[in-house]
Amino acid sequence: LCDPCFDGTGCQTDGLCLTYNFSKESFCSTSCETAGCAEGYECVDVTTSNGKVKQCVPGKAKSNTCVGLSARMEKGATMVDLEMVCFRDRNANGDLTDETPELTKLSDFAADYKILLFNVAPGWCSACQAETKDFKAVMEPYGPQGFMIVQAVTETSKQGQPASLGFVESWIKSLDPGGSTVCVEPTGFSKTINTEGTTPLNIVLDGKTRLVLDKFNGYSHNSLISKIETHLK
């Protein structure tokens, strides 16, 4: 209940992914057809394509909102637990070319990392390519301190063409992102959170809670290092 959701998925059975019109927050509700709601929530009728259903939503005591949610994932929001197909450095050798892609959620990093850099990069973006080439040098000193880069590749070298697994494999071979995690971003979710529109998009997350600590567009090595060091402290 009240967990962030995207595109109608990720909620409990009989729960819905609802969006408040005024704030554009998307959150999970739960069914109250047969049971009441938890304290602070109220049972309301929600109109769906199949008719009206009863759902628990935050009540007036909660100012009709879910704490920490934001459709745009601004600072202070909670990042959706996005699931992607990713190459992870399972061998801990700083090389992703010998890894097998696997389904990975952002929450999978919670046990091992303090800080995550969620990086959004289309393949045609030259600044994204430059930042990706820098990942290896960034991961070597900061990875052992509890830092991980999770890159979502959104498009191929042709603008508007969604990235494929094959393209991400070639991206890894040509740019050598070291011990970071590189993923295929299949949902279009990244476009909804890139409010500035320019790339790369970088979002610094608390590794355990996925709280958004920082959000910035563009790439500068010195600026990136400064933000990593600030949040690792």
Side-chain angles (χ1 to χ4, degrees):
L1 181 61
C2 228
D3 277 351
C5 55
F6 173 70
D7 198 25
T9 61
C11 299
Q12 295 179 15
T13 303
D14 296 327
L16 300 176
C17 183
L18 303 178
T19 302
Y20 283 127
N21 289 331
F22 80 96
S23 67
K24 303 306 179 187
E25 292 173 321
S26 294
F27 67 96
C28 289
S29 61
T30 57
S31 174
C32 50
E33 294 284 355
T34 59
C37 300
E39 183 178 356
Y41 299 85
E42 60 181 332
C43 187
V44 301
D45 288 329
V46 177
T47 301
T48 71
S49 58
N50 296 320
K52 288 186 176 181
V53 296
K54 294 186 179 296
Q55 295 284 300
C56 292
V57 301
K60 293 180 180 178
K62 283 183 170 282
S63 301
N64 206 32
T65 188
C66 292
V67 177
L69 298 185
S70 169
R72 300 187 176 212
M73 299 303 152
E74 301 295 349
K75 186 176 178 180
T78 301
M79 174 67 86
V80 171
D81 192 10
L82 197 61
E83 184 176 58
M84 300 177 286
V85 178
C86 301
F87 292 85
R88 299 179 63 180
D89 187 18
R90 292 297 195 181
N91 297 330
N93 63 356
D95 181 10
L96 297 181
T97 60
D98 56 356
E99 299 292 348
T100 301
E102 58 184 279
L103 278 174
T104 305
K105 290 184 176 182
L106 291 178
S107 58
D108 293 340
F109 299 96
D112 300 314
Y113 297 97
K114 301 175 189 175
I115 298 294
L116 301 180
L117 177 70
F118 181 72
N119 170 265
V120 178
W124 46 263
C125 165
S126 58
C128 303
Q129 295 169 21
E131 185 173 19
T132 304
K133 289 179 179 178
D134 200 20
F135 283 172
K136 186 172 185 177
V138 173
M139 283 298 301
E140 285 176 353
Y142 296 110
Q145 298 181 45
F147 173 75
M148 172 54 68
I149 298 168
V150 181
Q151 182 181 64
V153 181
T154 60
E155 296 178 353
T156 67
S157 53
K158 182 178 180 181
Q159 193 165 358
Q161 185 177 72
S164 64
L165 190 61
F167 178 80
V168 171
E169 287 181 304
S170 63
W171 174 270
I172 289 170
K173 288 178 182 178
S174 63
L175 300 178
D176 189 16
S180 58
T181 299
V182 180
C183 312
V184 182
E185 201 283 306
T187 64
F189 168 75
S190 298
K191 288 186 178 180
T192 69
I193 63 175
N194 192 0
T195 51
E196 295 294 327
T198 57
T199 50
L201 169 65
N202 294 285
I203 302 179
V204 182
L205 304 173
D206 182 288
K208 298 190 184 304
T209 65
R210 303 193 312 280
L211 182 72
V212 178
L213 304 175
D214 212 335
K215 181 180 179 182
F216 56 99
N217 293 71
Y219 166 62
S220 160
H221 174 82
N222 291 337
S223 176
L224 179 62
I225 294 301
S226 176
K227 290 180 182 294
I228 291 170
E229 292 182 345
T230 296
H231 292 295
L232 274 175
K233 290 177 183 177

